[in-house]
Amino acid sequence: MRSNLFQIPRRKFVRYSISNLCIGPCIMNTRTVGNYSSLTCTKLTLFTVLAVLIQITGLFLFITGFFPVKPTLSGISGLESFYPPGSDPIDLSQNASTLPPDKLKSLYQEASGVPPVFDRLVLMVIDGLPAEFVLGRDGMPPSKEFVEAMPYTQSLLTKGLAIGYHAKAAPPTVTMPRLKAMLSGAVGGFLDVAFNFNTQAFLDDNLIGQFFRFGWKMVMLGDETWLKLFPGMFTRYDGVSSFFVKDTIQVDYNVSRHLADELKSTDWDLLILHYLGLDHVGHIGGRNCILMTPKLMEMDEVIKMIHSSTIQTQEVEQRGTLLLVVSDHGMTESGNHGGSSYEETDSLALFIGPGTFGYTSETNIKAFQVDIAATLALLFGVPIPKNNIGMLMEDVFTSLTDEQQLRILELNSWQLLRLLQAQFPELECGRFSCESGSGGHEGAEMFCCLYLDAAALFESWKSKNSSRSAGGDDYRNIVLAYQNFLRSASKWLSGRATDKPIGLLALGIAAMLLSCSILVGLLFFYGRDAPFGGRPHLSHIDNMKKWHLDEIFSLAVIFILISSMGSSSMVEEEQYIWHFTTASLYLIFFRKTLQFSTPGRLLDAQNVDCKQKRSCSRIYSIVAVLISGRILKGWHQGGVNWVHLPDISKLLEQAGSAAIKSLQLISVLLVISISLTAILLPFWKSHFVMLFTIIFLFPGWLVLLYILNYQDSIVTSASSDAIATTVAQSIYALLSIFTVVILFAIPWFMPLKNSKTFRLFCLSSDISPQIQREPLFWGFRYSIYAIGWCCVFSWCLLQLLLQQPINSMPVLLLLVQILASIWYFSDGGPHTRQWVEVAALYYVGMAGHFGLGNTNTLATIDVAGAYIGVSSHSTFISGILMFIITYASPMFALLSMLIYVSVKDMSAFVDTQNDMNVGQLLKTCVGYPCLVPLGLNSIFLVAYTLILLLMRNHLFVWSVFSPKYLYVCATTACIYIGTSFVALATTYICMVFVARRKLKEGLMNE
């Protein structure tokens, strides 16, 4: 007896060529669903792919043009630094470059006229230390906990043996660009945040290079970033990776184990100690981590050890040694950094010498991090780096005479004047008239007048050699005049807009506009004749052609988002817009469901009970989405301005780790239960599907094991850490293998029998008996459904492993939101268009992105989670994990499109009197789920690109708008990955069923 498994009327499936298996939707120019469009699916797929490629090209061109590496002056500062601009001793400078270090040092000292204040330097970098931990904030002393943690350092400040500065760092507040700023005095480009993970040799003029030419012997212990920035310049070194944030002990022990020997040694001139442990403690547990106080005590002991040694060295060898304790950046309350908030930019510069600085109580002295370069250069008698934009910290030079202090101000002014001349070719101060009180000077003329005023006062003061008094009014006026010039020049140079190639920017924007037009055009023409997620009742066709409130509001969300992007405050608080618009859209769905659930609206009186049950199910779904969304909104008080307000996560942290652990375990168990139930419910008679589903219990059990035994273990032994890493790596491997195997295997082994359970679950109605007997139709849907749920389940387990413990419940709430949304949309809802449904899922994903605690600042990127299961630092692997953590919610929504496709009524493709091909089925399955996210993201990308261009001279362009643009670019990559996976998975499943049918037909014909 011949099987009728694949006996389908041949007129139903005429063509099965691969050219009809398309990813993107086809433009449909016909009036009926079954007719072919004027363009083949292959051509339309190429249109979609072409649009994406054009968009990527345009994005690359714009980023290259908008974020160039800031231009710098070539060469290094030399003997000319000690002479006024325009009278540089070129011959002497050329000869000086060939002099041996000792003679070069003598020549510089003679030209400078100011002897070096110190002979040796110990530069101690405490990574991530906020200045307020040592100096307090807003004139108030540090908290009692921090004072008691660093008693020796506090005693140095009290006795006047140390002077501390709040040295404001420029964004992005990550290590590599901040080290460059301290050593060169220059502010790098914004994209240095990306180069931070792949440091290259620093070739611009800097202090390390100047010391090296002086013949200094330099030793480096700590962060290996120094070795990458300055290769071949250190006599001895011991570098450690700065990105392996789980290590808070060994990373500092590797520095301190050499310290005693190095302090006894006299063969070095510069000793660099870069401690990373405090920064890692912050990444793991935030400012209030239990390890923070012990780490501060450890750093205080190091400072005590170095200071005691420098005093002994001073007494024995009469060599002045300066201990400079600095931090590259601060940290937020959660311990992260990268943004521009006060907590992140409040870095420390603490000068500790053998003598007194004359200050005993002032701890609120403000400076900029770039000021360190000029200060160190003048303290040690080397030329100020050529691209320095900082001004010296005058309070450090109290041991110098009045004339020497005015001389170093003059040297600093000459260096900045040379830099200004490079920016203003017309800057020739001799041709400007700067009469006293004339005012109104701008640009080059203003800088010339400020400089000439200070220079004239200084010359006048020097001419009064016999009558001038120490520290008199004339002296103070000269200091104020030089300070006025230095501050004005430094501020302008630090905030100058880089010249942007307009042609490159215009070409990039044009490419993105073209891509956006193609995607929106495809979406428009596809939606003109596409079915509305199923076959509408004939009596409702006219209604379906009208615009409904949910459709209007879905489009209004686009305009609301775009209009808000021009405000820096709205960019910082974008989460409120997504939460509001998403909740409003689902309230519209709620109203619509109630409106069409009244008995008068029902189509058939005998089906009243069935319709009412369906309406109640839809109402419960919307309520679940709204309640989950409200909890998510209150879970994290994100953004910048209101982050201090109470939220659920803060309350749970106050309740203690036990409460968080309980919620975490409940969340994991519920995620596993919901996912397995949803997968097994339609296939409880399919042993194959049940087998693969039960296999997923093993990685779920491993996630529970990791959470119970290893997640909260901040202080661990090497063996325990190795076991935790092995468990996490096993979870990664199992989830990857199981997901890939299921993706490729299920379409080949999926039974083709009709499942009543599946029909009940998907709620699709009005499917004719002919379609219910269609094996290809049901097999295709079964496979997509099972694969979709396996992908979602794997993603949930991965997030429960990687996310912060406080975010386990939000992961569960996201699953509830997406499941409830798909349940609501499975029946098409009351006159709901499919593009609105897909847009709603996209909006849920974006709202969930902020619900997990993400913001538009780089500081909320979870670095610690990116090292779970990583035994040694790998930029590539950690980068992938960081992306997975940050874009958990948008990718979640995109993966759920597979489930969404499977529960939609696709009978319009099969139950038609017209011939239908497989390409037509694919178009409708993945058309909206791929085109809507691509189209929406394309609109947002183009809009924000234009806004960023308009805001290029805005005060917050680098601190607010540019970080947001990096997030927009990363979201674009997320959309590309998610839609590509959905399209390729659906295409593969369909191809497998076509192959199975052909194989069966061949066997039947034999």
Side-chain angles (χ1 to χ4, degrees), residues 696-717:
F696 265 103
L697 285 174
F698 187 54
W701 173 78
L702 287 179
V703 171
L704 281 172
L705 177 68
Y706 184 89
I707 291 172
L708 284 170
N709 297 326
Y710 306 110
Q711 192 171 59
D712 290 339
S713 301
I714 297 178
V715 182
T716 60
S717 62

Side-chain angles (χ1 to χ4, degrees), residues 649 652-666 712 804-808:
S649 64
L652 287 173
E653 288 172 354
Q654 293 174 2
S657 59
I660 297 176
K661 177 73 73 177
S662 301
L663 277 179
Q664 193 175 12
L665 293 175
I666 292 173
D712 290 339
Q804 294 287 339
I806 201 71
N807 278 343
S808 56

Side-chain angles (χ1 to χ4, degrees), residues 535 765-774 778 907 910-911:
R535 294 178 304 158
S765 58
D766 304 314
I767 302 177
S768 68
Q770 180 185 9
I771 303 307
Q772 295 182 22
R773 293 190 298 268
E774 176 56 70
W778 287 110
S907 59
V910 184
D911 190 19

Side-chain angles (χ1 to χ4, degrees), residues 95-326:
N95 295 331
S97 62
T98 61
L99 293 176
D102 290 339
K103 291 185 178 181
L104 184 63
K105 186 184 301 185
S106 300
L107 182 61
Y108 281 174
Q109 184 172 337
E110 180 182 353
S112 169
V114 180
V117 181
F118 300 99
D119 293 327
R120 299 205 303 175
L121 171 63
V122 178
L123 180 59
M124 180 180 176
V125 183
I126 305 178
D127 205 295
L129 175 65
E132 65 177 284
F133 282 16
V134 179
L135 304 177
R137 181 172 180 175
D138 298 329
M140 301 298 293
S143 65
K144 182 180 179 182
E145 179 184 5
F146 294 145
V147 171
E148 294 176 350
M150 304 188 77
Y152 190 82
T153 304
Q154 293 297 328
S155 69
L156 292 176
L157 287 167
T158 303
K159 295 174 183 177
L161 296 175
I163 181 170
Y165 290 85
H166 293 265
K168 183 177 181 181
T173 46
V174 292
T175 298
M176 187 270 288
R178 302 284 52 82
L179 292 182
K180 286 184 177 181
M182 285 188 281
L183 296 169
S184 68
V187 178
F190 184 80
L191 286 187
D192 274 345
V193 68
F195 302 145
N196 185 61
F197 296 95
N198 186 25
T199 305
Q200 303 296 323
F202 188 33
L203 302 178
D204 296 342
D205 192 12
N206 61 82
L207 289 177
I208 300 297
Q210 292 286 357
F211 291 148
F212 186 77
R213 282 182 287 276
F214 251 37
W216 274 26
K217 304 299 182 183
M218 295 178 283
V219 179
M220 197 290 299
L221 306 173
D223 188 352
E224 64 183 7
T225 302
W226 290 87
L227 302 178
K228 297 177 181 178
L229 285 173
F230 310 106
M233 291 192 179
F234 298 107
T235 305
R236 293 186 299 275
Y237 56 85
D238 185 5
V240 295
S241 174
S242 61
F243 297 106
F244 196 55
V245 299
K246 292 194 299 181
D247 180 12
T248 63
I249 300 173
Q250 191 68 32
V251 72
D252 285 346
Y253 172 75
N254 286 340
V255 179
S256 296
R257 64 178 177 172
H258 303 287
L259 187 55
D261 293 335
E262 292 297 345
L263 292 177
K264 293 176 183 178
S265 176
T266 59
D267 66 342
W268 55 262
D269 301 282
L270 171 61
L271 175 61
I272 298 173
L273 310 170
H274 193 138
Y275 287 93
L276 294 162
L278 189 137
D279 178 69
H280 293 184
V281 168
H283 282 299
I284 292 174
R287 287 191 173 201
N288 298 318
C289 179
I290 59 174
L291 297 179
M292 187 61 73
T293 298
K295 183 58 67 175
L296 289 173
M297 295 174 66
E298 180 185 346
M299 295 298 100
D300 190 60
E301 287 298 318
V302 173
I303 293 173
K304 179 179 179 181
M305 183 179 182
I306 298 171
H307 185 251
S308 301
S309 175
T310 58
I311 292 176
Q312 292 174 3
T313 304
Q314 174 70 16
E315 292 176 350
V316 175
E317 300 182 6
Q318 297 300 313
R319 298 186 66 191
T321 302
L322 172 67
L323 169 59
L324 175 57
V325 182
V326 298

Side-chain angles (χ1 to χ4, degrees), residues 505-544:
L505 296 177
L507 189 60
I509 292 176
M512 284 187 275
L513 281 171
L514 176 61
S515 170
C516 182
S517 301
I518 295 174
L519 291 172
V520 174
L522 287 174
L523 191 57
F524 172 77
F525 287 110
Y526 175 75
R528 190 176 60 181
D529 298 304
F532 309 107
R535 294 178 304 158
H537 295 284
L538 295 178
S539 60
H540 293 161
I541 289 179
D542 291 337
N543 265 343
M544 295 294 290

